[in-house]
Amino acid sequence: QKEVEQNSGPLSVPEGAIASLNCTYSDRGSQSFFWYRQYSGKSPELIMFIYSNGDKEDGRFTAQLNKASQYVSLLIRDSQPSDSATYLCAVNTVKGGGADGLTFGKGTHLIIQP
Amino acid sequence: DAGVIQSPRHEVTEMGQEVTLRCKPISGHDYLFWYRQTMMRGLELLIYFNNNVPIDDSGMPEDRFSAKMPNASFSTLKIQPSEPRDSAVYFCASSYGLPQQYFGPGTRLTVT
């Protein structure tokens, strides 16, 4: 059974600091890794995806993947109050040229304190 | 471009009634996914289609749930009969053959 684990939080971070969100997954066949942001009452919004070991940067966001440790993380630099949301980690077994259903963690609630 | 469209946005029904949720994927996307989100279980995949064909329905909770995709621009998720434990937010998502998926606004279903 595929499982994705996240600390539910809340994770409280001061404005301007780095927020670090973590995720572990059980299926070693997982190939694609995603971070979605979900505001209360809204739908999940894709913010980052990563396929290869290492770091991937996009603006203030950095996704980190370590397949040997089955670990994915998301760093948010210069955190803003608008970053306050629930962050969902998701994985699937497809890398490209196709799609598959995503397995989601239950999310980490992030609060950025002004 | 319009995103994924779902209707209705809110549905309140009584136990035993039939409920039909609707989804229009992003134009050109060839994968369509139905997910359900609850506080207890989080976001779970119910079923997905590729080119209108159901590929994996292992997440459909029981025979009361059924889904169809008669064409590339429309899908339905039906619950008959509905039960209070079906209360959740149901999301439709679509993809253009890559793992990234884009979600609709969701339908909040309340079964009393």
Side-chain angles (χ1 to χ4, degrees):
Chain A
Q1 173 132 2
K2 301 175 187 177
E3 293 184 351
V4 177
E5 299 290 337
Q6 296 181 256
N7 188 319
S8 63
L11 173 65
S12 186
V13 174
E15 183 176 357
I18 296 175
S20 177
L21 304 163
N22 304 315
C23 168
T24 59
Y25 60 94
S26 63
D27 185 357
R28 285 197 172 272
S30 299
Q31 295 286 337
S32 305
F33 306 86
F34 305 86
W35 285 98
Y36 283 81
R37 178 176 62 198
Q38 187 174 27
Y39 294 112
S40 180
K42 301 297 185 182
S43 60
E45 173 192 8
L46 179 65
I47 54 174
M48 287 285 295
F49 62 89
I50 186 168
Y51 299 153
S52 303
N53 276 329
D55 295 359
K56 179 181 178 181
E57 186 174 318
D58 184 0
R60 295 187 298 113
F61 299 95
T62 299
Q64 299 175 317
L65 173 61
N66 184 326
K67 287 187 176 181
S69 300
Q70 296 177 246
Y71 179 89
V72 193
S73 65
L74 179 70
L75 302 178
I76 306 174
R77 291 181 298 281
D78 188 23
S79 297
Q80 302 297 310
S82 59
D83 295 327
S84 298
T86 296
Y87 288 80
L88 302 170
C89 175
V91 307
N92 73 9
T93 56
V94 178
K95 190 170 185 177
D100 193 3
L102 295 174
T103 300
F104 281 87
K106 291 188 177 179
T108 297
H109 184 204
L110 175 65
I111 300 171
I112 305 300
Q113 296 179 320
Chain B
D1 286 341
V4 176
I5 298 172
Q6 292 187 246
S7 65
R9 296 293 305 278
H10 302 274
E11 177 80 37
V12 180
T13 191
E14 292 183 346
M15 182 174 62
Q17 296 299 306
E18 178 179 296
V19 175
T20 299
L21 311 181
R22 298 172 176 79
C23 174
K24 176 179 170 57
I26 295 171
S27 178
H29 282 196
D30 55 352
Y31 284 82
L32 183 139
F33 305 82
W34 283 100
Y35 292 88
R36 177 173 69 174
Q37 187 173 38
T38 62
M39 288 293 292
M40 287 294 294
R41 300 176 65 87
L43 198 58
E44 301 174 291
L45 176 70
L46 299 177
I47 184 171
Y48 79 91
F49 297 82
N50 176 221
N51 291 323
N52 314 335
V53 176
I55 303 300
D56 183 357
D57 66 354
S58 60
M60 296 286 262
E62 47 198 278
D63 292 345
R64 297 185 298 106
F65 286 69
S66 62
K68 294 181 180 180
M69 192 166 186
N71 57 61
S73 59
F74 184 67
S75 177
T76 59
L77 178 67
K78 184 176 293 186
I79 308 172
Q80 167 63 21
S82 58
E83 296 183 3
R85 59 193 168 120
D86 302 331
S87 296
V89 181
Y90 291 80
F91 289 106
C92 176
S94 70
S95 168
Y96 51 95
L98 292 175
Q100 301 91 293
Q101 298 176 20
Y102 300 89
F103 282 73
T107 296
R108 182 173 296 277
L109 173 65
T110 303
V111 183
T112 60

